[in-house]
Amino acid sequence: MAQMSRDKSPLPILRDSGDIASLVEEGKCFHIVNETVGTELVGGTAYVATAATFSLRNLGSKLMIPLWARLHQADAVAGGRIIVHAQVLEADQAPTTITAATVRNLNWWKKDASDVLAGTTVTLPTFTTGNARLVWTGEFFQTVTAANSDQVINVFPRPGFVAVRPSGALHIYTWAGTTGPSWSYDIAWAELEY
């Protein structure tokens, strides 16, 4: 019989733990959102490897499983073409600058703290060769007007599409060609033993 590996796939872990509601009830899910209603986060106007819109750094001993990242565009973007990249680092490289986001447990009764340091408007160091890998990318055509301003972009293809190991990180980049998109956001993840 094959030996069990600590480096196993995250999807069975997520499946064996039940649905997301069960994980929330157990206090294993965390998220970040805009703290001030009406104050959005602005993405870039071009891809820059050292400038991420969001950064989630796994500083604990648990596996971080991204669940959802919902971005709601607040302002018009000329041309309406928005690019989103999600990138994982095998070994964390601390940002040069980061605006800290308040991480909250999705179960308000449980006060367990997250082991993930989350932030926005991030300046990253130049990555060590081979450390960063793109795990998802998408291109959206959305010119925001009063008629369609309620559209939400789901950045992650599905819950558990990738796992971020301890001392790793997940960075999300967003940009549009003429004007940086302005986001209201809700990004959630689970922290599971492995």
Side-chain angles (χ1 to χ4, degrees), residues 6 10 21 32 37 55 66 73 80 82 117 122 169-170 173 175-176 189:
R6 287 180 53 93
I32 58 172
V37 175
S55 174
Q73 192 178 353
I82 300 165
L117 178 62
V122 187
L170 173 72
Y173 299 80
W175 72 93
W189 63 92

Side-chain angles (χ1 to χ4, degrees), residues 34-189:
N34 299 70
E35 291 295 317
T36 306
V37 175
T39 300
E40 290 81 25
L41 176 68
V42 179
T45 55
Y47 172 73
V48 178
T50 56
T53 309
F54 301 96
S55 174
L56 304 170
R57 301 173 59 213
N58 187 1
L59 302 182
S61 61
K62 297 177 181 175
L63 202 59
M64 181 190 124
I65 309 293
L67 299 176
W68 65 77
R70 298 180 184 125
L71 304 181
H72 183 278
Q73 192 178 353
D75 300 313
V77 170
R81 181 173 176 260
I82 300 165
I83 312 290
V84 179
H85 282 334
Q87 168 184 275
V88 169
L89 295 186
E90 296 293 329
D92 182 38
Q93 293 179 234
T96 307
T97 62
I98 186 170
T99 302
T102 302
V103 177
R104 300 190 191 280
N105 194 316
L106 281 171
N107 183 336
W108 284 39
W109 290 102
K110 294 201 180 262
K111 300 298 181 188
D112 298 341
S114 171
D115 289 331
V116 171
L117 178 62
T120 61
T121 316
V122 187
T123 303
L124 302 165
T126 300
F127 296 132
T128 303
T129 301
N131 189 28
R133 63 187 164 94
L134 186 65
V135 292
W136 188 88
T137 188
E139 186 170 319
F140 304 90
F141 292 89
Q142 179 181 358
T143 300
V144 175
T145 65
N148 70 359
S149 63
D150 61 346
Q151 295 182 32
V152 173
I153 292 174
N154 291 301
V155 174
F156 302 153
R158 64 194 174 282
F161 77 105
V162 72
V164 180
R165 28 174 115 209
S167 300
L170 173 72
H171 299 297
I172 301 170
Y173 299 80
T174 66
W175 72 93
T178 306
T179 305
S182 297
W183 302 117
S184 292
Y185 58 89
D186 179 13
I187 302 173
W189 63 92

